[in-house]
Amino acid sequence: MIELIDIAYVRSGVADLDRATWFATGIVGLELVESSERGVAHLRADHRHHCLALVEGPSGVLASGFEVADSDALALAETELESRGFQVTRGSAEEARSRRVREFIGFDDPFGNHLELVSQQETITRPVALTRTAGITEFGHLCLDAPDVHEAYRFWNGTFNARVSDWLGDSACLMRIDPVHHKLAVFRGDEPGLCHMNFQVATIDDVFRNWHFLQDHDVQIEQGPGRHPQSTAIFLYFLGPEGFTYEYSFGVRRIEDEAGWRPRTFDPAEPGSIDMWLGPTKRVSTQRQVVKTSVR
């Protein structure tokens, strides 16, 4: 079994790099990290060098990255994946530099989502220079699409150390790789893609200040503010350029008693199962996976 120690980044292809970068900084509030790499904008939210890379080119999600402990763990992961029949590609030194990792491998999950496992993701010690007072504290989680969330869980739990925290019927599986209620979620969708990327904020006040800010700037609110009963997090989803959905949230549950936790199942049709505050709910927009022949 492959042990993931954290989420690492999202790489998203954008046809209009300037507009997508402006939104990520001016609206979301992320820091644009100085770089000499043409056609790539690295965005920072926490200790990581970046958690989001916008890559000029075809529009759509390129890769979702996860960290393993070290080079030995990465080599073992490569062997394990190949033994299970996955076609694994090892990134070049130039590609690793773009990701600010020592090395990485890439492969597609059984549903067509392109995943990357990395070792030694770079850390920056100075405080994050958020471009506005959004209150962001960290890259919280990412959410992928798959046609069958139970089959997706079998993949993540059978191949990696992901454990289900809660089910939303046949619509979603929320999984943890550390005490945080979920660092990874899989939602039911007909095609592979990134359902959303989450950023934690410091206070409930930040959620509501951001809500007003987004409204004032005519940003499309996908859902919220509301509160998820599964993770207890207060949430706000909103749509960025090229179908990329962002989320702010505060107050996510931590599961410290690993042995004592029992996953629960919620009926998405039951009032309050998605939003305890009974606000309107809908399926948020997904940025589709780019089908590519080479790593970018």
Side-chain angles (χ1 to χ4, degrees), residues 242-254:
E242 309 195 36
F244 195 102
T245 297
Y246 295 90
E247 180 194 12
Y248 297 126
S249 69
F250 165 73
V252 65
R253 182 195 302 273
R254 291 177 63 88

Side-chain angles (χ1 to χ4, degrees), residues 4 12 25 30 34 61 65 68 72 85 95 97 103 114 136 170-171 210 213 236 243 248 289 292:
L4 306 175
S12 174
T25 54
L30 304 176
E34 289 189 17
V61 61
V68 298
D72 289 343
E95 291 163 344
R97 179 58 184 165
E103 53 188 335
H114 190 70
I136 294 172
D170 294 329
S171 297
N210 284 322
F213 176 88
L236 176 63
Y248 297 126
Q289 175 70 54
K292 53 191 181 302

Side-chain angles (χ1 to χ4, degrees), residues 15-32:
D16 188 337
L17 180 59
D18 289 341
R19 181 168 180 264
T21 302
W22 170 82
F23 191 93
T25 54
I27 299 298
V28 184
L30 304 176
E31 175 189 346
L32 178 62

Side-chain angles (χ1 to χ4, degrees), residues 141-145 172-175 182-187 196:
H141 65 259
L142 59 85
C143 175
L144 302 174
D145 277 3
C173 178
L174 309 176
M175 290 173 276
H182 60 281
K183 287 286 184 73
L184 167 68
V186 177
F187 276 54
H196 65 269

Side-chain angles (χ1 to χ4, degrees), residues 13-293:
V14 290
D16 188 337
L17 180 59
D18 289 341
R19 181 168 180 264
T21 302
W22 170 82
F23 191 93
T25 54
I27 299 298
V28 184
L30 304 176
E31 175 189 346
L32 178 62
V33 182
E34 289 189 17
S35 173
S36 59
E37 184 178 2
R38 294 185 60 185
V40 181
H42 294 101
L43 287 309
R44 183 178 177 224
D46 52 28
H47 64 279
R48 300 167 178 87
H49 174 275
H50 69 277
C51 60
L52 174 61
L54 300 174
V55 182
E56 191 171 31
S59 181
V61 61
L62 299 171
S64 300
F66 298 82
E67 188 178 7
V68 298
D70 51 31
S71 294
D72 289 343
L74 188 65
L76 289 172
E78 184 175 14
T79 300
E80 175 73 12
L81 288 166
E82 288 177 338
S83 73
R84 292 170 180 256
F86 292 97
Q87 183 175 349
V88 181
T89 302
R90 184 165 281 264
S92 68
E94 181 181 359
E95 291 163 344
R97 179 58 184 165
S98 179
R99 289 153 177 78
R100 297 305 194 274
V101 300
R102 184 172 186 271
E103 53 188 335
F104 76 99
I105 58 175
F107 67 101
D108 291 345
D109 75 7
F111 318 102
N113 295 296
H114 190 70
L115 309 177
E116 294 180 351
L117 304 184
V118 313
S119 70
Q120 294 182 230
Q121 184 178 22
E122 287 184 15
T123 293
I124 297 179
T125 58
R126 63 169 173 77
V128 181
L130 296 176
T131 53
R132 69 174 188 84
T133 54
I136 294 172
T137 60
E138 64 177 330
F139 170 28
H141 65 259
L142 59 85
C143 175
L144 302 174
D145 277 3
D148 186 321
V149 299
H150 296 277
E151 284 298 322
Y153 176 65
R154 291 186 185 97
F155 164 71
W156 284 100
N157 180 251
T159 311
F160 303 99
N161 58 318
R163 290 92 68 197
V164 61
S165 295
D166 286 310
W167 297 95
L168 196 57
D170 294 329
S171 297
C173 178
L174 309 176
M175 290 173 276
R176 65 192 184 278
I177 55 176
D178 60 21
V180 176
H181 181 273
H182 60 281
K183 287 286 184 73
L184 167 68
V186 177
F187 276 54
R188 186 175 59 197
D190 293 334
E191 300 178 39
L194 184 83
C195 179
H196 65 269
M197 182 178 190
N198 167 274
F199 296 99
Q200 297 291 303
V201 296
T203 69
I204 186 175
D205 301 317
D206 291 315
V207 175
F208 281 88
R209 278 192 290 263
N210 284 322
W211 180 43
H212 288 296
F213 176 88
L214 296 173
Q215 289 180 311
D216 290 344
H217 288 77
D218 298 319
V219 175
Q220 181 178 329
I221 305 297
E222 292 271 85
Q223 193 176 156
R227 187 166 193 168
H228 290 311
Q230 297 82 18
S231 65
T232 71
I234 297 164
F235 65 83
L236 176 63
Y237 298 87
F238 57 102
L239 186 61
E242 309 195 36
F244 195 102
T245 297
Y246 295 90
E247 180 194 12
Y248 297 126
S249 69
F250 165 73
V252 65
R253 182 195 302 273
R254 291 177 63 88
I255 299 174
E256 303 291 354
D257 182 6
E258 181 68 30
W261 182 260
R262 295 293 178 268
R264 302 162 296 173
T265 299
F266 297 78
D267 180 355
E270 181 70 25
S273 65
I274 296 173
D275 180 7
M276 296 171 65
W277 297 348
L278 303 180
T281 59
K282 70 167 189 172
R283 176 70 158 80
V284 301
S285 300
T286 287
Q287 186 178 61
R288 299 304 181 191
Q289 175 70 54
V290 172
V291 178
K292 53 191 181 302
T293 57

